[in-house]
Amino acid sequence: MLNAYLDWLRVYRKPKTVRGAACSARKLLEHFGHCHVAELGPSDLDAFILQRRESGACDKTINGDLVYLRAALNHAVSTALIRES
């Protein structure tokens, strides 16, 4: 799902946007790569935020990661990769 959104960004967005999104995608995949989207819950996001803070990421960077995740989820729903629940 994250890679499909990144592929879409490569076509429709500027290279700088794609580079930032790719960085966010890597961090998200490192943390959530073992999970299915349907299994994610608020506690998983809290753990991601805490882990990113502990690794030294600033709040703006973490928010960017979460914005990317939300955009990727919305894209996955709009392209029928996943169903909205």
Side-chain angles (χ1 to χ4, degrees):
M1 175 201 70
L2 293 175
N3 289 325
Y5 182 60
L6 198 55
D7 290 342
W8 181 86
L9 284 177
R10 285 187 181 103
V11 174
Y12 294 102
R13 298 293 183 250
K14 295 179 181 180
K16 183 178 179 183
T17 301
V18 174
R19 283 191 301 273
C23 184
S24 289
R26 275 192 304 277
K27 294 300 180 184
L28 289 162
L29 285 171
E30 285 173 12
H31 190 83
F32 296 116
H34 63 284
C35 298
H36 188 273
V37 173
E39 299 170 352
L40 296 179
S43 63
D44 298 308
L45 294 176
D46 292 343
F48 174 74
I49 293 167
L50 183 61
Q51 181 269 326
R52 291 289 282 140
R53 280 188 180 146
E54 289 173 350
S55 71
C58 67
D59 287 343
K60 183 177 178 181
T61 301
I62 298 167
N63 284 340
D65 295 341
L66 296 175
V67 166
Y68 176 78
L69 177 60
R70 180 180 23 196
L73 287 167
N74 287 337
H75 182 264
V77 169
S78 71
T79 57
L81 288 174
I82 60 173
R83 284 191 342 227
E84 187 174 9
S85 56

